[in-house]
Amino acid sequence: YLTPEFMANEPGLGPSPDYQTCQQQNGNPATGAACGNTHSAKLIPGTKFIWVTDEYFICPYGHGRVVDASDPYNMKLISHFLLPENTDCTKTYTRRTPSTHLGNMRDGILHLAWYGAGVRAIDLRDPYHPKFKGFFTYNDTGGGAETYDVIFGPKDGFMYASDSFEGVRVLKYKGK
């Protein structure tokens, strides 16, 4: 998942917002540089797949991806997960745009901080076909302010969503 070749022709989205700048700074093709906005990557427990979050703060905003990492020398992108907000460039947000950030998985469900879009639950049990399972929002614009991370607590079902502007919220996922 080294992004220069991949990001140059993102299906349906075009190049990463900073791709041209990266090419100017590192040559074309960009040598020794990843020109995407990858923020985090974590293994989907019990699989050969990793979920990756990309952080773009201009439209189209960062979204999630799943990568087959079974061959570390030839990793392959197998799916994307976008919200409608990721490509709606007309909406305004209180503090941050709807870009993916940090999260954790439980029982095949990724609970992901999505900055200005709050918390999203995504079913990754079939990593080729991620499915939206639910959400939590908490401000006037229908999202989050700066939703930063989601972690699981010591009691079953409870999780904590941190916000770098508005503190911590205690949540419980009731879906399946």
Side-chain angles (χ1 to χ4, degrees), residues 4 10 21 29-30 32 36 48 52 59 66-68 88 94 115 120 139:
E10 179 79 68
T21 302
K48 59 185 177 181
V52 177
C59 199
V66 178
V67 176
D68 181 340
D88 180 355
T94 306
Y115 275 131
R120 297 294 190 250
N139 75 18

Side-chain angles (χ1 to χ4, degrees), residues 64-124:
R65 308 168 199 270
V66 178
V67 176
D68 181 340
S70 57
D71 177 356
Y73 297 100
N74 188 28
M75 297 194 327
K76 295 179 180 149
L77 175 72
I78 62 166
S79 62
H80 290 266
F81 185 84
L82 290 90
L83 300 174
E85 295 92 336
N86 289 113
T87 56
D88 180 355
C89 302
T90 63
K91 189 173 178 182
T92 59
Y93 294 87
T94 306
R95 299 194 62 87
R96 290 271 192 158
T97 60
S99 182
T100 56
H101 204 249
L102 300 170
N104 282 289
M105 289 192 71
R106 180 182 280 158
D107 300 327
I109 307 297
L110 171 61
H111 302 274
L112 186 62
W114 213 294
Y115 275 131
V119 176
R120 297 294 190 250
I122 305 152
D123 185 338
L124 292 179

